Structure formats: structure tokens, C-alpha cells
Amino acid sequence: MKNKTTKPQRSPLALAVLAHLAEEPMHPYRMQQLIKERGKDEVINVRQRTSIYQTIERLLRDGLISVRGTLREGGRPDRTVYELTEEGREVSKDWLREMLSTRSQEYPDFPAAISFLTLLTPEDVLRQFEKREVALQEAVQHVDYQLLNYKENVPRLFMLEVEHSRALLRAELEWLRAVIEDFRTGELFWSENWIREVAERLNNQE
């Protein structure tokens, strides 16, 4: 039985499940197909199908979805079809409003790694940044390709998350190139002695 005092756990994948069930009842494999076909896998992690099933189990326990029936097709395993409950419809709207209006605190790998650069030498960091620059360039080209090829057939409304991804990628690429240049000119540099001096000075200020 669902604990009414427990707030349903929100996640991008959970929202995606509810949003797809708002269209029509469907089974998990169909949800995964649609997410990929529509390019939503660029912003929602559906690489592991087990994550979809785990999310569905949680939504089912929370009463946000229910079992509609079982789909039986010749030669294929039976597939459970789910549908959205009224509570699920309202919760999905609440989640969407909150995710649109509120800046959440996220903890991605890259900013964390930047905060510990001095574990490596400046030369090593520069090499890693140059590799990341190439990866970012490829990512920008990928989203540019998406926008160019979809804009004729897909309304802009359904491509806004791709525009957002492009804006973030381009901003990071611009920042990274500036930092790489500072490493190359020697403006950004450190040594073990310099790190010790900074640590001692900061410790004395405490």
C-alpha cells in the first residue's frame, strides 16, 4: 500500500514515463522506442532498459500509474501495458512546473574534477582539456546536425531541449578554449612549491 506521507520521487525518466502514458497506454519497450525515435535520449538516460522497469515499478507503487492489461502477440513475450492515473497526471504537471521554474543543484563530474586540477601537472591537464575540446566540438556538430535535419519537419517547440543543449555546449567550448589558451601561454601554471605556499598562506588566515 502506498504511503500517503511519502512524496513521489521525481526524475527525468519518471517524468518521461508519465508524459508518454499521457498520450496513450503503452508497454515499457514502446516507451523506450519512442524516447529514442524522438531524440529524447539526448537528455534522458534510457541506455539501460532495466532503469525504465525500475522507474515503472516505483510509479506503480506510488499510484501514479496502473496496469491496463497484457499485450499478447504471437511469438513475443507478453508485455504489460500501463496507463496514467489521475494522480499521476497531476503529479507530472507539478513536477514539470518545478523543473521548469527551479534551478536544482546538480553535481556533474566535470566541475568536481576542475576543483582538483592540481593533482595533475599543468601539462597533463592541458592534454585532457584538449581531448575534451575535440569531444565538445563533435557534440556541437551533432546537435547542429539534429537541428538542421529536423527543423523542416519538426516544430521548434519539440526541439527546444536540443537548442538548450547546443547553447550549453557552445558556452562550455568557448570557456574551455580560453582556459586552454591560458595554459599554453603559461598564465595558468602551478608547481608543488607554489601549492604548498598557497596552502600555508590559507591555513594562516584561518
Side-chain angles (χ1 to χ4, degrees):
M1 182 179 294
K2 183 180 63 169
N3 185 352
K4 290 292 186 180
T5 64
T6 302
K7 187 176 180 180
Q9 183 180 349
R10 189 192 76 195
S11 73
L13 182 52
L15 178 62
V17 170
L18 297 182
H20 282 81
L21 292 180
E23 297 180 22
E24 62 179 351
M26 63 182 73
H27 51 74
Y29 180 68
R30 179 60 177 156
M31 293 180 207
Q32 187 182 38
Q33 278 185 315
L34 287 176
I35 289 172
K36 290 183 176 180
E37 288 172 5
R38 296 169 177 176
K40 305 306 180 185
D41 56 331
E42 297 287 339
V43 292
I44 298 168
N45 186 0
V46 290
R47 287 190 293 270
Q48 300 295 328
R49 196 183 304 174
T50 54
S51 60
I52 290 184
Y53 287 102
Q54 291 169 352
T55 299
I56 286 173
E57 285 298 318
R58 190 174 72 248
L59 294 172
L60 195 60
R61 289 196 304 268
D62 289 337
L64 304 185
I65 64 175
S66 61
V67 175
R68 174 71 172 266
T70 302
L71 179 64
R72 293 182 172 86
E73 297 177 327
R76 293 183 178 180
D78 292 350
R79 289 172 172 167
T80 303
V81 176
Y82 298 91
E83 63 182 355
L84 193 64
T85 65
E86 280 305 311
E87 183 177 359
R89 192 178 304 278
E90 292 306 311
V91 167
S92 66
K93 293 177 182 178
D94 289 341
W95 283 354
L96 186 56
R97 292 185 185 106
E98 186 176 352
M99 293 166 76
L100 288 173
S101 63
T102 306
R103 184 181 181 276
S104 61
Q105 181 63 55
E106 299 173 347
Y107 300 93
D109 291 346
F110 187 52
I114 292 173
S115 68
F116 299 107
L117 286 184
T118 54
L119 292 174
L120 303 176
T121 64
E123 295 79 12
D124 196 350
V125 170
L126 175 58
R127 286 194 296 272
Q128 308 317 313
F129 276 176
E130 288 171 340
K131 292 178 183 178
R132 189 178 184 89
E133 180 186 15
V134 172
L136 284 171
Q137 287 175 316
E138 292 174 350
V140 169
Q141 291 171 356
H142 175 67
V143 295
D144 283 345
Y145 175 82
Q146 281 187 301
L147 290 172
L148 180 65
N149 282 271
Y150 283 112
K151 71 177 183 179
E152 296 298 328
N153 301 313
V154 180
R156 185 186 175 207
L157 175 64
F158 302 108
M159 297 298 294
L160 287 178
E161 75 273 14
V162 181
E163 287 186 15
H164 179 257
S165 294
R166 182 177 60 176
L168 294 180
L169 287 167
R170 285 183 168 178
E172 182 182 336
L173 183 57
E174 180 181 356
W175 173 85
L176 187 64
R177 284 172 171 166
V179 173
I180 286 174
E181 182 61 23
D182 288 341
F183 270 98
R184 288 172 177 166
T185 61
E187 182 174 334
L188 281 171
F189 183 80
W190 60 85
S191 64
E192 290 186 10
N193 288 336
W194 180 83
I195 292 172
R196 270 196 296 271
E197 291 173 2
V198 172
E200 290 176 2
R201 185 170 70 250
L202 293 175
N203 288 335
N204 291 334
Q205 292 175 358
E206 292 179 354

